[in-house]
Amino acid sequence: MIQFQLTAQDWVDASRLHHRWTLNTWLVRGAGVGMLAAAGVLFLSNDNLPAIMELVGASFISLPVTFWVVLPALYLLSLPMRAKQLFRQTRAAGDLTAVSWDEDSITFAADAWHQKSRWQDFVNRREDRKLFLLYINALQYRIIPKRAFNDTSVASAFGDLVQSKVRRK
C-alpha cells in the first residue's frame, strides 16, 4: 500500500502525459503537412496558373503550419493553466489517498471517496518517469505519482503488474 497527496503539479504532469503524441501521430500528421506544403510550393512555382491558384498555393503552405504547429503550441502552453484550474475546482483533488493492489484489483481510498476496480476495467495505461496513469475511459484516468513509492523495487514491481494487467492503446 502507498499513500500520497496529489499536487497541482501532478495534475499538470498528468495532463502533459495524457496529451503526449506518439511517434506514429507525429509521422502521420507530419506527412500530411508535408504533402500539403509540397502541393503549395508546386502551385506557387508554376507561372502559368491563374492568380487564384497562387492564393490556393499560399494557403496550402500556411494553413497546415497554422493547424499543425501554431494551434497545438498554444494548446500545449495552456495545459498547465487548465490543469491547475481543474485541480483547484476539484474538491477531493489534494486529499490524502491510499492505494492498495493485488493480482486481481486496485483500490483507491480517500476521505471523500473510495474506488475498487478490477485491472481489466481499465481501458489504457500510460507511464513516464513521474507518473502512472490508469484510464477509466478515454478521457478519465487515475493518477499515481511515482514519488509515493518509497522503494524503487516496489515501484518497479507495480509497473510490471500494471503492464501485465492493463492493455495499452
Side-chain angles (χ1 to χ4, degrees):
M1 181 172 89
I2 59 171
Q3 290 186 329
F4 56 86
Q5 283 183 286
L6 291 175
T7 64
Q9 187 58 49
D10 290 329
W11 278 49
V12 169
D13 294 338
S15 185
R16 285 186 176 135
L17 179 57
H18 172 70
H19 291 284
R20 184 179 65 198
W21 286 350
T22 63
L23 178 60
N24 288 342
T25 305
W26 279 105
L27 291 175
V28 168
R29 292 185 182 184
V33 167
M35 287 188 291
L36 283 174
V41 169
L42 288 175
F43 274 120
L44 291 176
S45 64
N46 189 339
D47 293 334
N48 298 328
L49 293 176
I52 190 69
M53 295 311 284
E54 289 182 15
L55 181 62
V56 170
S59 68
F60 275 11
I61 294 172
S62 63
L63 288 177
V65 170
T66 300
F67 286 112
W68 195 71
V69 177
V70 176
L71 294 178
L74 291 174
Y75 182 69
L76 290 174
L77 291 173
S78 71
L79 276 179
M81 292 183 301
R82 182 72 178 137
K84 289 175 184 175
Q85 179 186 29
L86 289 172
F87 179 81
R88 287 190 305 270
Q89 291 174 353
T90 306
R91 292 178 191 238
D95 288 357
L96 182 64
T97 303
V99 177
S100 58
W101 61 90
D102 59 29
E103 285 292 319
D104 300 319
S105 63
I106 184 168
T107 302
F108 297 84
D111 287 340
W113 63 281
H114 179 91
Q115 177 191 11
K116 182 173 183 174
S117 299
R118 295 172 300 159
W119 289 111
Q120 62 264 29
D121 292 341
F122 294 103
V123 299
N124 194 13
R125 64 180 162 80
R126 286 198 177 182
E127 177 184 356
D128 68 3
R129 62 184 174 81
K130 294 181 181 180
L131 303 168
F132 293 102
L133 299 183
L134 298 175
Y135 284 79
I136 300 162
N137 58 44
L139 296 176
Q140 294 178 315
Y141 46 82
R142 294 283 175 240
I143 304 168
I144 303 173
K146 289 187 176 179
R147 63 178 162 69
F149 295 91
N150 294 331
D151 186 356
T152 56
S153 64
V154 175
S156 179
F158 178 79
D160 292 343
L161 181 64
V162 168
Q163 273 187 329
S164 69
K165 298 289 186 179
V166 182
R167 60 191 156 109
R168 182 169 165 85
K169 287 185 178 178

